[in-house]
Amino acid sequence: MDLKSKNASPVLADPGPINKSRLGIHSSMMPCSQSGASFSSSILTAPRKKPGKLDDVRSNGWLDAMHSSSPPRKKIVKDFVVEHASDDIDIVYNSWMLKYPSALNSFDHIINRAKDKKIVIFLDYDGTLSPIVDDPDRAFMSADMHSAVKGVAEYFPTTIISGRSRDKVHELVGIEELYYAGSHGMDIMFPVQDTASIDHMGYVRSTDKQGKEVNLFQPASEFIPMIDKVFKTLVEVTKAITGTKVENHKFCTSVHYRNVDEKSWLAVAQCVHDVLKDYPRLRLTHGRKVLEVRPVIDWDKGRAVEFLLESLGLSNNDDVLPIYIGDDRTDEDAFKVLREGNRGYGILVSSVPKESKAFLSLRDTSEVRDFLKALVKWKEHVDKKN
Ligand SMILES: O=P(O)(O)OC[C@H]1O[C@H](O[C@H]2O[C@H](CO)[C@@H](O)[C@H](O)[C@H]2O)[C@H](O)[C@@H](O)[C@@H]1O
């Protein structure tokens, strides 16, 4: 990517003036449920305020997207028109792997391509390094995964790119040798080096928790007060819906519905939809049983990968082999960047067949760990020979 030719600001054309009062008292601070616990089922049958209101969420595809996020295995198989026997499940998965071959089985091919190139690793966190669990605060890596990630970071420039806040994912991973990009790449901390060529990109010099000098790139910093306000509003309006959890990631905010009764998913969607109506500069994306609210800026995990490659002086296709491993829809932006630039490998982590811009696949976090360990072993072997 020629960052120099890009507008330094990734903020898209403003869809309208920001009404200052919107940033203050929010019109939907009232909970969506006026009747507390019984809210979920009644909202399914009767429009809450205006006729047609519930249709908004149904017709704009939110609800369908919510149902298809993290679908149970059976459902995916059914979509592939196969019976539910486990043998058939394997047949479907194996035929899907013809399109997205296993990165483990393709290992020799990968290292062959990596000869004379510098491998650069990008890792998503949830669902990639830690298994998906009900409580986002308890999504930990295994000790084995921790040592595999530490191992790759010793040999290859390695970045964690997460939807979580940078501080949170740093706390969960706890490895200092890594670079961290939080809030879907809207908060990037990377080492100070000769990056004079992109000085105009707007990153600032800062210090990390150990007092070391670092560069910090935060293209959505002007949105911090707005996100904080929306976070508080979302906590308020969803509090009557049992099981919802709202997280503040500083540059974006997430509304989880994994622990919400499916009958109330529409209510969750409606609450978020109502709040977003007053914030034209925010948009919604879907993750694994989570609605993610983020600024309308032209920035995502794909742009973050391009930015990091450029800023670390690793953007030359002939010398560098980027590998991005992720499981979620937001990781598709990064897969797309690699695919379209014919650069390295996007690796999708999935135990069910799904369409992706990735080239390769791994079934689950344990295969991710094995793949990372294999890279370390190979690199140790190569270094020993030289
Ligand atoms: O980009 P990621 O690192 O994959 O972060 C995406 C979201 O991950 C977390 O939620 C997901 O994992 C949780 C723990 O396993 C799970 O309970 C939840 O259902 C998943 O959506 C995180 O809590 C979100 O804030 C991130 O946006």
Side-chain angles (χ1 to χ4, degrees), residues 26-38:
H26 193 277
S27 59
S28 36
M29 276 304 273
M30 286 295 289
C32 297
S33 166
Q34 306 294 318
S35 54
S38 62

Side-chain angles (χ1 to χ4, degrees), residues 70 124-128 130-139 160-164 169 184 247 249 254 256-259 287-290 292 301 327-328 330-331:
S70 263
D124 167 54
Y125 184 73
D126 290 279
T128 298
S130 71
I132 294 294
V133 293
D134 284 347
D135 180 358
D137 292 332
R138 303 204 56 78
I160 308 282
I161 301 197
S162 173
R164 291 177 184 261
V169 76
H184 299 291
E247 286 180 300
H249 303 307
S254 302
H256 290 271
Y257 56 94
R258 179 171 296 281
N259 302 318
R288 296 180 71 162
K289 299 214 176 357
V290 66
E292 307 194 277
K301 288 183 173 185
D327 72 310
D328 209 347
T330 57
D331 299 310

